[in-house]
Each structure stands twice: as structure tokens, then as C-alpha cells.
Amino acid sequence: QVTLAESGGGLVQSGGSLRLSCTASGRIYNIADMGWYRQAPGKDRELVASVTTDRSLNYADSVKGRFTISRDDARKTVTLQMNDLKPEDTAVYYCNAYASTYGMKGWTKYESAYNDYWGQGTQVTVSP
């Protein structure tokens, strides 16, 4: 019911920059929280940055000062600007959204429960 389309991953040299974008589509009634997670091979998935329900910003300590997250509710898009990338940033990055969906009965929308939705993941590789 909700699809998260990710783009912007790639291969960069240490110190370079990338911009990740994620756009939500489908039968969306409301998007509460939205953010980015990452997972390196053999490691647990971790939060990179997020925009919470009250629109406060959260960052992992390892990316503070280097990454910037922003959100465009009209476009249902969240963007992660990544600067001064390091080899330790190499991982698959996943977009996440906590959102509700709706059904239709005539002209009336009916909101369903909130669920976590995930993108397919986009690879970010930083060479030394």
C-alpha cells in the first residue's frame, strides 16, 4: 500500500558527497516519522538520521556535523545530504516511513492503522 522509492546511492572517494532521496507513494493517509537507516555486511541495521512526528531531527553520533536530513511533506520526500564521507559509512541505506494508509467507500476515506514501511535499499560505497 505504501512504496518508498530511493535514489542517490553510488561509489565515492573518501571526503566526497552523496545525496539520498526517498519518495513515498501509494494509499497514504499520513506520514508520521521518516528517516534513513543503514546496514553494513555482518552488522546490525542502525539509525542514521530521522525526522520525528514533531519534526525534530535525530542523528547518529557518527554522522553529526557531516550529514543533514530534510523533509518535504508536500512531495512526501525525505533527503539525506551526506558530506565528508568516510569508508565507515559504506553500507546499504534504507529509507523508512511510519505511515497510515486509507481505503475508499464512495467519496469517503477511511484511515487504517500505522505501519513501518521500508525501501529496497541503496548501496553507498566509500573508497579510501
Side-chain angles (χ1 to χ4, degrees):
Q1 292 180 297
V2 177
T3 299
L4 302 179
E6 304 157 325
S7 64
L11 172 65
V12 297
Q13 192 175 15
S14 181
S17 298
L18 285 173
R19 180 178 296 173
L20 305 182
S21 294
C22 172
T23 299
S25 62
R27 290 163 52 179
I28 302 169
Y29 193 90
N30 183 63
I31 300 176
D33 304 320
M34 206 169 189
W36 286 92
Y37 291 71
R38 68 185 180 188
Q39 186 168 25
K43 296 186 177 181
D44 294 330
R45 185 174 299 185
E46 65 173 350
L47 173 68
V48 178
S50 68
V51 183
T52 60
T53 302
D54 63 357
R55 301 302 185 265
S56 63
L57 308 180
N58 300 300
Y59 294 95
D61 289 339
S62 60
V63 307
K64 288 181 178 178
R66 299 188 297 120
F67 292 9
T68 302
I69 191 167
S70 60
R71 178 172 173 174
D72 186 336
D73 289 334
R75 297 176 181 269
K76 297 182 176 62
T77 297
V78 64
T79 300
L80 184 67
Q81 177 66 46
M82 304 185 293
N83 298 324
D84 192 24
L85 284 161
K86 304 176 180 180
E88 307 91 87
D89 297 317
T90 296
V92 177
Y93 284 68
Y94 297 91
C95 180
N96 168 259
Y98 186 60
S100 63
T101 57
Y102 66 86
M104 296 294 296
K105 187 175 183 180
W107 298 102
T108 305
K109 290 184 178 180
Y110 295 88
E111 184 180 20
S112 66
Y114 279 82
N115 285 294
D116 264 313
Y117 297 92
W118 295 91
Q120 290 292 101
T122 183
Q123 178 69 48
V124 171
T125 302
V126 185
S127 62

